[in-house]
Amino acid sequence: MMRWIAVIALNFLLFHSVLAQTRVVSGKITDAQTRTAMSGVTVTVKGGSQGVSSGQDGTYSLQGVTDQTVLVFSILGYSTHEINIGGRSVLDISLQTSFNELEETVVVGYGRQKKRNLTGSIVSVNNEEIEKTALQDPISILQGRAAGVQITSNSGAPGGEMTIRVRGNSSLNSGNNPLFVVDGIPIESGSLSNLNGTEGFGLNPLAAINPGDIESIEILKDAASTAIYGSRAANGVVMITTKRGAEGKATVDVNFTTGVSELPRKLSVLNATQYRQAIIDSYNNMDNPEEPFWTILDSLSAMNNGDVDWQRELMRVAPQYKVDLSVRGGSKTTQYAWSTSYLDQDGIILNSNFKRLTSRLNTDFNLTDKLKIGQSIAYTNSLNNRINAAGAGNLSVIRELLIRPPIMSMYLPDGSLNGYSLGRRNPVGIAKYATNLNKSNRIIGSQYLEYEIIPELTFRSNLNFDFTSMKEEEFMPTILDYREGYNTGAVRSITNMTWSSESFLRYAKTFNQDHNFGALLGFSLQNWRYDRTGLNGSFFPSDNIRTLNAAGTISNKDSDGVDINVASEHAMMSYFGRASYDYQGKYLAEVNLRADGSSRFGRQKRFGYFPSASVGWRFSQEDFFTIGAVNDGKIRFSMGKTGNEAIGDYTSQGEFMVGANYLDFSGAAPTVMPNEGLTWETTTQYNAGLDLAFLGDKITFTTDLYIKNTDDLLYNVPIPTTTGFSSFMQNIGSIQNRGVEFLLTTKNISRDVFSWGTNLNISLNRNKVLSLPEELLTNGYIQNGSYHILQEGLPIGVFYGWRFDGVYARDVHNVNAITHGALGPVFKGGDPIWHDLNGDNIINPDDRQIIGTAEPKFFGGFGNDFTYKNFSLNVFFQFSYGNDIYSSINQERNSIVRYNNLSADALNRWREQGDITNYPKPVRDDPMQTDSRVSSRWVEDGSYIKLKNVNLRYTFPNSWINRIGLRKVDAFVTGTNLITWTKYTGFDPDVNSFSGLRVGVDQGSYPQNRMFIFGLNIGL
């Protein structure tokens, strides 16, 4: 008996001893590179069942540990970290990013998927990349960072539009923009602005989204990824996911940024003395020389006694500032994320400005173990004080900036503006006194209900909407016109509403631990409505009274005679489904099908069907694969069809224009010929991809090869006007895009105090028009605007004109007596040498030829990330090679016409017999069309390498910031567009003055700016 009592007593003492040695360990988990707190990190005891997750502030606390306990810290996307506690009770941990990118999850249509299980082609940009930039819209952020995605700037103005192409141009008339989906909501991504002046583009509607709210951006590129969106996915799909709340303590983040923008470089022009001599030469070089107009030579004239540097007068160092505030957190039943932001950004041209106020609320509620509901709502109020920068004519600020003579004074002796003289408007006056104001309110929202029927089967229903209300005001005052008392104004009120309802079932089941099966089946409805009202007016009694009711003449038609007041609506009904299977993650397969019915097509052609299929093989898991350096390898193949329905809402039915009145009777007239046989453009795409990971994921490599054929192109075919119509929408022709994409990511050095990582992406795309109807062709091609043609076998974007071969040094050098036209004069010394293509000694339209192409040979981006202790540095380069630019603005500023200023290149012009130069003699109203021809003289190499972004950041140590009760403090400086290496002689080679197929033209767009931003991020 005593022996048992002794045994019990001994065990009691031992148990008490163990209890005395257990304790609590706590600490904070941060990202090793950014030093920011990490929530949701799993902390477990190795070999045990104990575990907790870190809160929103990155802190954790775990009970019942001993000196011998080993803790395991793990979270997706980061390397798992094990550490022995020893005698510590406080243990702070920094986790390194895992370079097994194939284990990350990405957003796909109607769900998420592990990157390792993808059989399609998707590229992702996460919030860490976004935070390294100081750019203010999602499209700008993607530039150079996403393989297969080419982005060019239509305008460098704040809030200006950009052109985005995913794997090339796939359409002629029906739009080439990708579908944008924000938090599952298909949104309006085309510009709604109507008062765009002489510019060939509008505003960027994606500028309504605050980049600080974005968690990730995925671009779906191949048919396997995009077919689930059917008829709207032929040009790719851009998925934007915003930040949501998570379980844990509420975190508050405040971000302050301020900075300046400036013009990276000025363009050289003649000064007053040089200009006057060029004018004299232009008069003397006429066939019948005349005396120059006296006001040009009279330096005592009040209107022409200046020597004005218009670039210096119009351009400025422009300030900007931005404030972001966000609160995120939640419990097991409720998670929330609220944010608001205010941006005030001046443009580098006087009086241009963009103000944006955004607010967003994302909430999720777990009502029961099976039922979950939530919503997302975002509001944006923006005010854009625009400048009519680009385009032809003397209303373009950039054009006038470069060709208004320097002798024209800024002000007259009485202090009034010298607003108009000899056909040239004052560019400073346009910027200061003309009005081009855009006010916009946009609400994007959704709500969802999700119910788990059984563990493997979930039902979800979404209701989404996107509403925009826009008002535009335009006014051109009398002081900028040559007509006494003549001024013009316009106003537009635009609303655009789209809503959609989607319901679908998701199924996921694993059988026998090896067979993973997933399925999706859904139905959706979507409706769009666009309304525009407005008036144009002229002859206002005063420049200070700008409301339309004051106009002497009021019209409901624009300057082209087109009705201003319009309303249109269309709808779509869809069925969609997906099935996927993988065996041990080794053999993968997926099929998608979507059926879309659009009201834009006739009853017989209303539905289109868009299937896709894809397979993948992870060969690195095969027994025969023994290359140790390759730890993961997968081959992917996909094929499928997507569509395009971007035509007028009533094109197939025909359209009528009201207001076609006869005498005192109202009337309507047909304006669009109906065609019930119209059907979808269909794009068939084939994709082959290879994913590799080397040396324990220190190196990852992805490549994709694709062929993308688009058939049944929707095109407005010109028809005889005797029909009562000028064109007729038909399905004609086909286009092909084929290319290859490379993405390489490396972790060069990974140490506790220093790391260095590199990423590189390169894309090559070859576009070609495969077929066009013969009845549409003139001399084998279709003229596409002033500079381009469409021709079978050639890419979209080829320039067509005369080839410039230099300048005749002497009259006698024109040995063949080549003439301008059949009956025109012979070219002489100082005249251009035009290539006589057909050898008939006559320069006429028959001598035009291909003179360049806007399609680059390749483009991409190259970035490096460095960290040293609490410092991080990102250096990012963007590049494009092999593309040409037709510099219409350089053509303008080297065409003297009558009184235009010239570039400084004119100092090297031909002046007398024997001069060797490539700059022809200036001739007033040149009858030889030296300067007005579309020619290779203005085609320049548009290749460039741009130091696009440099971000230097310092994260203050936790030991410092904890003393003042803060969670984190980061300070950073960012430079954008710092250096551009290029041969292009315009403001910037990243330019595209038109939004359609007339690509690669610089018509004097608002210049890109160099930007310096200073910021402070504070976490509470």
Side-chain angles (χ1 to χ4, degrees), residues 214-229:
I214 297 175
E215 181 68 30
S216 68
I217 305 175
E218 274 82 19
I219 300 94
L220 317 185
K221 298 183 291 185
D222 71 327
S225 307
T226 61
I228 198 70
Y229 287 105

Side-chain angles (χ1 to χ4, degrees), residues 445-474:
S446 71
Q447 59 185 24
Y448 74 88
L449 179 149
E450 187 171 291
Y451 183 74
E452 183 184 284
I453 301 172
I454 57 176
E456 297 84 10
L457 181 64
T458 302
F459 170 78
R460 183 177 174 113
S461 182
N462 302 330
L463 181 62
N464 313 312
F465 70 91
D466 177 10
F467 174 76
T468 299
S469 173
M470 179 182 292
K471 183 179 180 182
E472 296 181 287
E473 300 173 5
E474 186 179 82

Side-chain angles (χ1 to χ4, degrees), residues 787-788 797-801 849-854 884-886 999-1001:
Y787 313 105
H788 304 87
V798 293
F799 303 122
Y800 191 70
Q849 55 193 288
I850 304 301
I851 55 176
T853 177
D884 294 317
I885 296 174
Y886 191 89
V999 294
V1001 176

Side-chain angles (χ1 to χ4, degrees), residues 629-641:
V630 179
N631 58 280
D632 194 283
K634 181 178 64 175
I635 297 175
R636 298 173 279 108
F637 297 96
S638 70
M639 62 176 294
K641 292 187 176 183

Side-chain angles (χ1 to χ4, degrees), residues 27-31 36-38 41 43 54 58-60 73 93 95:
K28 185 173 183 178
I29 307 170
T30 57
D31 183 293
T36 57
M38 295 179 59
V41 178
V43 185
S54 61
T59 60
Y60 72 95
F73 299 82
I93 294 295
L95 296 183

